[in-house]
Every structure is written in structure tokens, then in C-alpha cells.
Amino acid sequence: MAEKQLQNAPYFESVNKVSYNKGANNALAFKYYNPDEMIGDKTMKQHLRFSVAYWHTFTADGTDPFGAATMERPWDRFTGMDLAKARVEAAFELFEKLDVPFFAFHDRDIAPEGRTLRETNQNLDTIINMIKEYMDTSNVNLLWNTANMFTHPRFVHGAATSCNANVFAFAAAQVKKGLDTAKELGAENYVFWGGREGYETLLNTDLKLELDNLARFMHMAVDYAKEIGFTGQFLIEPKPKEPTKHQYDTDAATTIAFLKQYGLDNHFKLNLEANHATLAGHTFEHELRVARVHGLLGSVDANQGDTLLGWDTDEFPTDIYSTTLAMYEILKNGGLGSGGLNFDAKVRRASFEPVDLIEAHIAGMDAFARGLKVAHKIIEDKVFDNVIDDRYRSYKEGIGLEIVEGRANFHSLEQYIIDKEAIKNESGRQERLKSILNQYILEV
Amino acid sequence: MAEKQLQNAPYFESVNKVSYNKGANNALAFKYYNPDEMIGDKTMKQHLRFSVAYWHTFTADGTDPFGAATMERPWDRFTGMDLAKARVEAAFELFEKLDVPFFAFHDRDIAPEGRTLRETNQNLDTIINMIKEYMDTSNVNLLWNTANMFTHPRFVHGAATSCNANVFAFAAAQVKKGLDTAKELGAENYVFWGGREGYETLLNTDLKLELDNLARFMHMAVDYAKEIGFTGQFLIEPKPKEPTKHQYDTDAATTIAFLKQYGLDNHFKLNLEANHATLAGHTFEHELRVARVHGLLGSVDANQGDTLLGWDTDEFPTDIYSTTLAMYEILKNGGLGSGGLNFDAKVRRASFEPVDLIEAHIAGMDAFARGLKVAHKIIEDKVFDNVIDDRYRSYKEGIGLEIVEGRANFHSLEQYIIDKEAIKNESGRQERLKSILNQYILEV
Amino acid sequence: MAEKQLQNAPYFESVNKVSYNKGANNALAFKYYNPDEMIGDKTMKQHLRFSVAYWHTFTADGTDPFGAATMERPWDRFTGMDLAKARVEAAFELFEKLDVPFFAFHDRDIAPEGRTLRETNQNLDTIINMIKEYMDTSNVNLLWNTANMFTHPRFVHGAATSCNANVFAFAAAQVKKGLDTAKELGAENYVFWGGREGYETLLNTDLKLELDNLARFMHMAVDYAKEIGFTGQFLIEPKPKEPTKHQYDTDAATTIAFLKQYGLDNHFKLNLEANHATLAGHTFEHELRVARVHGLLGSVDANQGDTLLGWDTDEFPTDIYSTTLAMYEILKNGGLGSGGLNFDAKVRRASFEPVDLIEAHIAGMDAFARGLKVAHKIIEDKVFDNVIDDRYRSYKEGIGLEIVEGRANFHSLEQYIIDKEAIKNESGRQERLKSILNQYILEV
Amino acid sequence: MAEKQLQNAPYFESVNKVSYNKGANNALAFKYYNPDEMIGDKTMKQHLRFSVAYWHTFTADGTDPFGAATMERPWDRFTGMDLAKARVEAAFELFEKLDVPFFAFHDRDIAPEGRTLRETNQNLDTIINMIKEYMDTSNVNLLWNTANMFTHPRFVHGAATSCNANVFAFAAAQVKKGLDTAKELGAENYVFWGGREGYETLLNTDLKLELDNLARFMHMAVDYAKEIGFTGQFLIEPKPKEPTKHQYDTDAATTIAFLKQYGLDNHFKLNLEANHATLAGHTFEHELRVARVHGLLGSVDANQGDTLLGWDTDEFPTDIYSTTLAMYEILKNGGLGSGGLNFDAKVRRASFEPVDLIEAHIAGMDAFARGLKVAHKIIEDKVFDNVIDDRYRSYKEGIGLEIVEGRANFHSLEQYIIDKEAIKNESGRQERLKSILNQYILEV
């Protein structure tokens, strides 16, 4: 059988299973990620729920707007369905060597398109079966799958928001298959990222119809999931722009608004990406906080951007400030539930050797492991909790309590304040707090 | 009487009433704004509803973060309440010379603060009475007033979102007075711009409490307006940042979400500013469109930013592309209702002579007048309407109609598309549309 | 012969030769570009020296970082060298239909690479011969050619600035061939754009060696051009970033500094692109002005960016403000000499039909034609010249003249000013000037 | 005597001399800055050469574009010259409590202006004498002084680049006094930051004359310094924009170009600021590297910006990545010579209590101390040196050596490469390098 013929593993021949070895001068060891170490009442592995992104790691080739493929991938000696199979082999080899519990994919990452959707789905089925076999004999689970509805030229004007009803229909059929796949593989979530659900110019755009259609599409997805008994969490991933001029799911606040307006907020949570946050002008922790306070923080695309560049660089996350503040929000959220930390990150185009894939994941996993420990300790020590309790204490008594409990109005407040000569504020102490954050990051 | 003693008008001695004179090589004539010219079924003046911003034009002194006041203002020979009165005189002189029908102010623009709010309100009352007299004998009306809850140090941590309940109380009393003022002067709207309603760092911020308090505050305002019978429109003005790191009313979509979440959307519309749009990464026309399709486009702060600079430059609007596309949205909205085009714009710090104030308003009024004419003609000729009708025609029949009417689902759509070999799209024609826009702008 | 077999022209069947027809409601007519119309002492065609960019128009396929090719190109039914030949046919058909006098190309636009550089050069020779024949029987000339040293993976770390000396050698040999080509085809200029001449991270970069090598490379090019008698102008094109994190030729000022430091400023001028200017945080007119005052304004890549997006969108130029201010600098420079206005612009990915290529060029040509007329009239009327003469008049006499003529020093200046009580400045009048600019744009 | 009457110290009553106490849970102790600890062959204090910025710490009041002063400063109970004197007292108290060896000031920070420059200089002299006395009895030295030529309205159009020759004269006289002051107080450097040396709009600007005048001005300064025997280092500080639309000394590369073009590069080095780097689209370490490889790295304005905000936030530096990479460049430069790390940083407007000033400096000093230790260890271990040596090894032999030694040309390089089938590159290993950087930062 083809599978047997493809048994060309290992693809990462020079790499053994990566283990924790703190002080090591060894690029192929974890320095901070110690999977079984308890942090509070869970292990690091349980907290972090790492996931490998199939597209960046097994499908991407290093192409950029000015350059051709650079990536050297041992599986690239195959083509067509053989290539698709070889990638599965390579993927599970990498999952195992990194000991990551999850992975995620778009439909088109794992199998090539055919002439019709029917043929495409047949290709998919072959690979899904193969993946299922691998999953059955490993500890790796599917964090989420999604439908790529932005690469093929048919989606040039969008998918659910295309001006062309045939494209809407195609997208619907594609997500239907995606939900079947999710159920088949036991995906914990199903994700929507609307790469071209937006517009290029308002001059030719019926914005209202497009938004309505987007909502119609999502309701159909919810209905179908219910019908087939898929119980995973629906997630929607905001991004403000790129590839489009404007993308409807701009940021957490905008996406939450969309969900509420169209009655979808009981069915969806957010999958938040660091680089998408910065493209929207927000910090990553801001987006996580907004989702958290709305009870809609679902999952995370773990990466980082370069805030001096204006596009989605999707770098592996190595900034400890960012991983610490992200883990802070996640711990405060009681974890991510069915979500996880999916490395929606790609090695740089110039990091084209296979071993870079391993080293990049180690870099990201270590950065989040350290962030987890720091954040946990900060919470344990009530560092910011105490600051906030003290800072807002005026709302716990007197006029403040009346405000919060709805017993105040403009009359009572005016009467209270109109003859007071001065109001005393207290410093926000931002510099002290940043210094304490440094101390925790460096000393934990 | 003080008023009499202050009769030092004219302050703009060298300027006569500005009139329309198309080809004029005269900086003090309108080239495009012809107030009584009919555009469709309304005059230019009725369409445009221009308003002068009291703060930029009568109060601002040219200070910037690196520089002291530069503005030469004939009224600056006065101080205290005399200065406040002189500004009223100068203001009505300018309104009349420009023949603008509206103006707008913050409470602190028109009168200085006293030791207590009671004293401050007394100062206010003096000037409000004076303004009322001037309004009674002129054709100028109050487009909106608002409360400045960001300049005084008491608002260092915000107003309704302050961590200090006393500040919330002060702000409440201040808006109470603002609503009384609005009723007294017959304001067509009342505006909220939350200059410091946001945060500087999440490390010390209880985001959820602050958002809840902001909503509580607005509900109190709605209740009080009802109580006193103020029937003007409430408006809220989005801005993403500056002066704060993050401002809660980030952009149109975020603000609409906030209004809906807290049940305020029946009481508020949006006051949208061009420069705030670009600071949020959006075009002005995008923000107008978003508000329009939600039925929440209330009024406009007419200015422009410099997209290569990262702060609110509040320039007078002179970009005809922007004024045209703004007027397009406004005309499509059926006008602004009780709203208007308020010049939230300041002369450059280096344009410090009084006559620059006149010339800057002429520049802005001409730019919007031209934009109005162009937009009207584009709509009359159905330029973009025809493009859009044609582009989305697939939703008017067959499978598209089924989608829009809710008769489709993932099964029917899959069946429809699964064996189709190719989907045909049509070009979006952006280049042609931009060329046509140029033709309209240059030839109308 | 292959060429005969390829005679499948016309590729733009539905398009006739585009002619000037001002009021036309016809997307395929020029509204402002009237080639033979005299503007001052030259025709529009002589002033504007339009050039078509081979890569965007005949080679680009609409790929973007998230999407596959969309462009429908009649010549894409061919492959390999046949495709290369078909593109030449299509190119000259389009040049003729648009009546553009120039074109420009990278070596890899016109012919595919072979296994070795020798084979690649043989492919090139075939197409160069074909192009030469077409040029001989048309009025189209080569504005410039250049070497694509950024697409192939060998250039992953740069070309002249690669850490790999073999890559430097390859690049050298490639430019050698490029200069031979330039001489063969009578190119008016030869361009360097260092797409990957920069770095991704300083952590692994020897910045000094890379800059030195870049200069060594350019001196070799100058030497070789002298040797073969190529007398065209060398041009270097600044861009701050993208695809790299940092590109050495950041902007006009930085590139001029590089040229001066390494003694190259007598051999090179600048080829300035609008979108690269905005990516560097500058206006297009700023970059043109900087080059102009240094006597180094060579040529222009005519396009425009979207300042709300952070990447090189390379849109066709339609903003009349930008084309007017660009033409102002160019006219003030006495024209572009051997340079021209090369449309380094691509139709949007969604404008995928062949006719969009024609319409986009018309849009750009019209925008620059209008800009030319407006700028010419502004100069003729001395609008800004008079403003500047008056504004700086204090340097034409007294203490100012002493300063400019080098007769002042800190002693004389202190003595002059130390007891003066106040210095009187005059308004910069920015608002008036912008209003006048509008009047010229709309009324010329 | 007034000085005696002002002896109201301590102004920072609650603060003792700050000492090093690593694990302390005490905001008023250094956690990483241990002044006498040897790092290589120098103490931390000798390496870091910390300087307090007079303006942000003793003069700034917390004003921002939307808000009034918030800062609570014990010395603000004085006015006029008494205030100026009280600030000196407070300054030296703070210098001593933080044990910083340097400070820096603008002329207008330390004394108020009079009616004429003569009067202003008399005010200055009084305070300079007082400062001199304090310096004589302390270990604090003047890192640099400079002239504030941007705040007063006379500089509305610039100083040396003003369109008004009287302003040029005033600025000259002001810098003359500044150089006298520098000599008097033994300043180690004299700085130029051209806050308004740029333009607001090209429409009214003679860019060439302004650049020439700027160079004339600096040559006069060089001449005068020579005349009076001031031997400190001249420094120029780049910034791209703010307050102006465009500032001539945009970034390191542009400023070096200016210095070279006008023959000033032997007299000036650069004073580089982190936040100015990011406003120009560069990393701080990029600017330092550029200056270093040109031998022009003079001094540092130590702060940090917020790359998601578009203005100069001048935050105290707390990002360990930035301080590490900055110290790496500084150590590689062999230190800063006569320069130092000057905290051109301000406490947030909401950090308005005096103790915030102390805590903010501690935060910055600790961040740089840690950065120093990390950078020193990285250099000691040759972490990046080894990477770079290996990466560029091809230039140390064979064809690479020929290139570097000037023995190669296009002929020899073509011959070498033309028949080679493939060029082998090696990964840039960015992810590994970032992970190693994390390890050093966290473990040193």
C-alpha cells in the first residue's frame, strides 16, 4: 500500500525526542517547558495545550510577495496525494518528538483539490482516514480544523461575503465537509477565519448584504453541527486586514458585536492571535482581556508580530512579556477550556532547514512555559489583584457603592459633589508595576 | 455693564462677510460653497449644516507637546470672565461673517472653572445667558454641547471610568449641568467624547468594572434628559487612543457593540470624526458606512488627519476625495438629521494670525461643498448603485435568492455545487471606479 | 518559426488604440492624457515619458500571501519559452494600444531561468533578440532594465549583501549580463532595487561588511559599464523594508548618504517610488524634493500606496494631489532627463480580466496628465514661488544676507539680537495654500 | 540669602538613599543595579554613566494635548527665580539619593526667560552659579546641556531653519550662551536636538536654503567652541517628526549623511534615543548599530516608546530586550566615551506623586543594569560573534576574499559562477538565536 511505501520516516532524522534540560547549551532541549511539572493544580502540559499548525509547518514553502519557495522539506520529493501522505507521516513524527498534544489544519493543507468538490472531498477522505489511524495510535488530538476559503481564486471576492452566490454555495458545502471532518476526528473546536470576508473598496461593496450573508452562513453552520451532533466549540478569529483592505472580523470587540447582533454569541467564542491584535493596533493581552470579560475567550493562535512592520509576520512567540501577560489572562479565565495554544507561526524564510522547525517550536514552547510560571506566581502572590482591589476601593462603600448598585442618579451625585473643593486622586504607579513585572519575569 | 465695555468688536476687522465668488483670486471668498444653491431638493446650507468648534477657534492657543502658545487672538487682551465674554462676541462675529448656522462647545470652552462645581456652574450661567441673547438675535443655533471631562487633573484616571468614585460623581454632576445647558440653549444634540475613558495599562485596570460604570453613567444621562424633557439626540464619538493608550469607544463598530450590549442603542447615535477614523486604521467613509448600515449615523466632526503622523492632527478638511466619499455616505443616509458638519479642526500652530481662522473655515467649507456636489451627481447618475446592483445580482434569483430568503441550508447548497467544475467570477473593476470618481470630482 | 506560430495577437482583442476623448463616458478613452497637447514647450508625451512595467502587467499572476493566482491572461495558454515569447507579443500590442513610449523589465520577467546561468543567459538572448526586433519596428524604447536578485531562493540572504560569496558572484554575473542587455537594447537607464539587500535580524548580521560589499558591487558595475561603453544612467531605488525587515536603501536621504560615502554619487541617481516613500513615513513629494535638491532625481516609479495598510500595495496612481505634487517637483527639476514615469503598479487581485490592465493604465496616465497640467499652471503663475520668495525675504538683506554669505558668526549675531524685545513672525498660511491647490486642481 | 531661605530640602522626604538589595520586595531598592559591581574591567556605574534629564523630572508638569498639569511637586510652591532655585535643590537631592553621576538640561529648564536675551542670560547666570556650587560639593557632573529652541513661539517656523533671519540670529546667540555654559560647568558634551528644524508643508518651504542654513549654524557653533576652548563632544539627536511634520535629522543614517555632506562629521557624533528610533520605523539597536559602524555613536537618550502609539511617549525604559541589545552595541563600541545613558523619560501623567520619579528611575536603572550584565556575558561567550564569523566565512578565502580585497570584477565573478548548477545556502537560524537570547536574559 501507498502508506507503507511512504514509510520514509524519520524525516527529522537528526532529532531525538526533545526533553527538558534546563541549563543545556543544546538547541534541541527544552529549557523551560517541563511537561509534567505541576503549576498549581495542573501540569504544564495540561495548562498550555500546545498545538502545531499544519499549514506553516508541513505545507508552507517560504514563498513571500517577492520570493519563491526556500524551504527544504524531506517530504517534498513526493507530489500529489503521495505528498499529502508523506506530510501526515512527517507531522506525527514531529508531534511525537515535541510531545505536543494537539494539531490544527485547514482542509486544503492536508489534501489537494480535485476538479470538483466531490473529487476534492474524496482526496480529503483518504487523508482523514490516514490521520485517524495515526491519531488512534498516538496521544495527539485535533485542536481544531477549519476551511481554507481564501487561497483558491474562486474566493477572490470573499466566501460567505462573496458577491457571487455560487461562491457562497461552494463555501457552505466546504464547511459542511469541514464539520463532518471535525466530528470524524473528534476535533475539540471548529474555527472560522474569514481571510477575504471583507472588502477591497467600498465603491463596489454592499456592506450590509455581506454582513447579513456572513451571519446567515454561520447560522447554517450552527444548525448543521447540531444536526450531526458535533459538539466541539465554534471559534471565530479576528483580523483587521490583510489580505483584504478591510476584514469584517476586525478585532475582539468588533467580532463580539457581530456575534451579538446576529444572535450567534451563544454558539461562538474567539480564537485570538497575537499578530492580528497588533495589526489592529491593540496589544495581545488587550484582546484576550476583552474576550475574557465577555466570557468569550476560546482559544489562542500563539505567535508574535513585528510592530515596526505592517503585515502579518507570524513569528514564533519568544517575547516573554507577551507570553506572560497572555498566560495571565488565560489563567484568570480558568484556562482555555477546549481551546489551546496553537502555534500559528512560521519559521523565517531564511530559516529553511528542517531542524529550524523543531528549534522554533522549542523557542515558542519555552517562552510560553516561562510565561505560565511567571503568570501563575503573579496571581498566587496577588500582585496585580491587590493593586486593583486597592485602586477601586471607593466603589465598595459610600457613594461608589451606590453607583455600582444602581442607587445613584444625577441628582444624588450632584448633591454629593457640588460643594467639594478638591478631589484627591492617587498615582497609577505604572513604573513600579512594570518594574515588579520585570522582577517576576527574571526571578521566577 | 461688562458686556457693553467688551463691545470691542469687530475682532476680525479686516474681514467682511464672506461671499461666494467662484473664480476669485481672493482668499476671503467661497469658491465652491454657495449657501443658497439647490443641490437636489435642498440648499447647500441645508445639506451641509456647518458648525464651528468653539474650542479650536476661540479657546485653543497653539500649544503643542513641545511648544508654547503661538496664536494671536484680539480677545486675548482680556482675562477671566471678561475673556470668556469677549470670546462670545468674537464667536458670533465669526459665525455671522462665515454665515454658518451652527456651533458647538465643551462647557469649559466657554467659562472658567471656579473653586467648586457650584461656582463653576455660576460662571457657566453668566456666559450661557450671554450666548442665549446672541442666539436670539442671530440665525445661529447650537449643534451640540458636551462636557470636558479630560482636561482637569481630577480626570487623570478617566471620568465615568475613573477608579475614584468621587470623580464619577463629579462627572455626573457636570453632565447634569450640560444637559440643563443643552435644554436651555435648544441644542440639537448632546455629545459624549470619552477622552480618558480607557486605560493606560492593563496592569492596574479593572476593565469590566470600568465598562459597566461607563454604561451606568450613560443610562443616568438618558434618565435625566427624559426627566427634564431634553429631546435632542445623544451622540457618542469614537476614538481609539490619544490621550490614553486605549480608549473604550475605539471605533464605530466597537462603540455600536457597547451601545447594544448595555441597551443604549435606542438612545445614542454616533458622532464620527475623520481623524479618529484614520487613527483607528479605517477610512472616514468606512466609519460612516458602518454607522449608516446600523442606522446610527448621527453627526460628523469634519476634519482630516495626516496618515503619516500618528496623532490627532485635526486639520481642516481639504481633501476632496474624503469630502466626496463622506458626503456620499451622508446623502445615502438621507442627511444627518439633527446632526451637522462640525469643524473639529484647528489651524496649524504656524497659522497663528486671526485671518487664518477665516481662511481655514473657507477651505473646509469649500471642500465639503464640492464634495456635496460631486456625491450628489454620482448618486443621481447611479454610478456606484448600478455597479453594485449588477455585482450582487446573483442574490436576486435562484440559489442566491434562496440564501437571502433563508431557504437554503448546507445540504441544499452542497447538492447545488458539489459537481460543478468551475465558478466564474467577474472583475471588481476598482481601477475603473477610481478613474470615474476622478472624472466626477474634476468635472462636476 | 516559433515566433510565427505564436502570432496569436491580438491578446487585447476588444480594445482599440486608446485615444483622447475628454468628456467620454468610456472607460477605454483618455480623459486627460492628450499626448500631443503642448504644456509649455513640450508635449504631454514628452513631459510624462510613460513606461509600462513588464512584471506587473505581463508576468504577475495575482498571487498574494494568502491566495493563488487569479489573473486571466490570454498568453497563459503557453508555457516555458513559448510563454516568454507570447508575453513579448502581448506587451508590444499593449504598448501600441496605449501609445506609451517606454517599458521596463527585470531579466527574469522576460525569460525563464535554466539550470546554470549560462543556460539562463541563452534563454535571455532569445527573448532579447525578439524584443529588439519589436523595438525596431515600433516607437517603444527601453526606459530601464534591472536584475531580479530577490525572487530565487539563492538570494534568501541578499545578493550583493549575502553572507555567501557565491551568491555575490552570481549576482555580479547577472548584472554583467544585465548591462550587456541594456547596451544591446539601448536602455536609457539601468536600475538597482535591492529587494533583499538588508537584514532580517541584527543578531546574525555583519552590517558593516554588507554595506561595504554593496558598494564594491556597485563600483564593479560602474567599471563594467564604462568598459562596454554603456552610457545610460545608473539608478538606485530606495525602499525601507519588505520583503526584508530592514533594507539598506531605506529612503532618498539614506541612499544619497550611501552613494556619497562610497564615492558613487557621480555615477548614480535615484529612482523614486511613491509607495516606497509612504512605507518610509514620507510623502512622495518629500522624496522627490530631497533628491531634487541634491541633483539626484533620476526617474520615478509611478504608483501609490494605501497609507492605512503596512505593505507595498503598488496601486495604479489615481490621487490627483499626489500626481500634481510629483509633477511639480519634476517640472522644477527641469524634467526627468533620461528617466520617466514607470507604472510600477499592479491591478488589484480582484481586477483579473485583461481589460483591467488597459483601464488601470488609463487611470494612471490620466491622473498624471492632470497633475502635469495643474503643476505647470501653478509654476507658470508662480503660486508657491511667490510665497517662498516672500517668506524667506529676510535672507536677502541685512543680517540674513550676512548669514547666507558666511559673514556672520555667533558674536555678530548675539550683538544684533541680545537686546531686542520681540521677534515678529508671519503665519505660514498652510490652510490658504491648500485651498489654492484645490482651486488649481479643480479648475485647470 | 534666597538660597538659604529655599533650604526646604528634603523634597523627597520619604525616600532614603537608594541601595542595592536584590531580592527585596521594596520599590525603593535597586534589584539589579549594583553600582560597584565589576562587569568585565569596569564597574556598573562606570559602564552605564546614568544621567537624569532635568526637564522631565524637575520641570515637566504632566500636561498633554488634552490635559492640564497633574504633577505634584513639592517645589511648585515657589515661582519665578525662586522656583528655579528650588528645582536645583530638589535635583541634587534626587541625584544623590539615586547616586547618578550625571545630569543634563536645556537652558530653559533651569531658568525663566526675561524680556530680552540679555535678561534671560542674567537669569541663567544666577542658576548656573548655584548649580556650580552644588556640583563642586557633589560627585555629579554635567553630561550635556543644550538650547531649547522649540518651545518659545519665536521658533514656530524653526530656529536655524527658520524663514526669519532674526530667529536664526536669536538661536545663534542662545547657543553661544549654551557653549559658554557648557564650558563653565565642564559639560562632557553639547547636544543639538532640532525640534522644529524641519517643515510643516513643502508648499511654503525652501528645503535647500533651510538645510544650508542648518549647516552654517553648526559650523558657527564649532568655530565658537574652538574659540572659547570648549572641548566637549558635539552631539546631534535624530528624530523623524513630532512636533513637525518632517524633521531634517530624521534618523541616524540621514543625520550622518547631513554631517558628511556639510563637512561636519569630524565635529559631531550622534545622541540616539530609543523612542525616536521607533518613530522612524527602526529598532533602537538598529540606530545604535548604524552609528557604531560609522564611528559616530556618541551618547544615548535612554527611554522607550509604545510602538502601537504614534507619538513620542518617552517612557522609562523597562524592556529588557531593548536594554540588552542597546548595551550590546554600546559594549561593542567600547563604551560611550564622553557620552552616557540619559533618562530622556517621563513618568506617566497618571504617576503624579514625587515618589514615582524615584521608582521610575530605579525601574530604568535596573533594566539597563540587567541589560549590561546580559550583553557582557553574550559578548564574553562570543554567542553572536561566533555565529557571524561562521556565517560570513566565505569572504575569508577564495572568491570571497578576492571580492573583499578588491581583486574581483564582473569578468572573474562570471567566469567563476556561470556553469555552477546550484548554490548552497545555510539557514539564518533566527529562531535559535532568539531562544538563546531569552536564555541569557533569564539566566544571567
Side-chain angles (χ1 to χ4, degrees), chain A residues 115 118 157 162 165-166 176 199 204 210 227 261 286 294 391-392 394 411 416 419 421 426 428, chain B residues 115 118 157 165-166 199 204-205 210 227 261 286 294 391-392 394-395 411 414 416 419 421 426 428:
Chain A
R115 250 179 344 117
R118 191 181 299 276
H157 300 309
S162 174
N166 279 356
K176 176 172 178 290
Y199 64 78
N204 67 12
E210 294 201 0
E227 177 188 332
Q261 176 170 6
H286 170 82
H294 284 88
R391 194 164 181 247
Y392 294 85
S394 65
H411 292 284
Y416 170 81
D419 292 312
E421 285 209 12
E426 291 167 8
Chain B
R115 250 180 344 116
R118 190 180 300 275
H157 300 308
N166 279 355
Y199 64 78
N204 68 13
T205 300
E210 294 200 1
E227 178 188 330
Q261 175 170 6
H286 170 83
H294 285 88
R391 194 162 182 250
Y392 293 84
S394 65
Y395 288 98
H411 292 284
E414 182 190 56
Y416 170 79
D419 292 312
E421 285 208 11
E426 290 167 7

Side-chain angles (χ1 to χ4, degrees), chain C residues 115 118 157 165-166 176 199 204 210 227 261 286 294 391-392 394 411 414 416 419 421 426 428, chain D residues 115 118 157 165-166 176 199 204 210 227 261 286 294 391-392 394 411 414 416 419 421 426 428:
Chain C
R115 252 180 342 118
R118 191 181 298 277
H157 300 309
N166 279 356
K176 177 173 177 291
Y199 64 77
N204 67 13
E210 294 201 359
E227 178 188 330
Q261 176 170 6
H286 170 82
H294 284 88
R391 194 162 182 250
Y392 293 85
S394 65
H411 292 284
E414 183 189 56
Y416 170 80
D419 292 313
E421 285 208 12
E426 290 168 8
Chain D
R115 251 181 343 118
R118 192 181 297 277
H157 300 309
N166 279 357
K176 176 172 177 292
Y199 63 77
N204 67 12
E210 294 201 0
E227 178 189 332
Q261 176 170 6
H286 170 83
H294 285 88
R391 195 163 180 248
Y392 293 85
S394 65
H411 292 285
E414 183 190 54
Y416 170 81
D419 292 312
E421 285 209 10
E426 291 168 7

Side-chain angles (χ1 to χ4, degrees), chain B residues 14-19 26-31 355 358-359 362:
Chain B
S14 63
V15 181
N16 296 319
K17 183 160 178 173
V18 178
S19 59
N26 172 4
L28 294 173
F30 295 122
K31 315 303 177 308
V355 74
I358 305 286
E359 293 183 13
I362 291 172

Side-chain angles (χ1 to χ4, degrees), chain A residues 254-282:
Chain A
T254 304
T255 305
I256 291 169
F258 171 82
L259 294 175
K260 284 182 186 285
Q261 176 170 6
Y262 288 99
L264 288 158
D265 50 319
N266 289 327
H267 305 292
F268 279 80
K269 288 188 173 176
L270 301 189
N271 183 41
L272 293 168
E273 176 176 325
N275 204 155
H276 294 180
T278 50
L279 284 172
H282 306 305

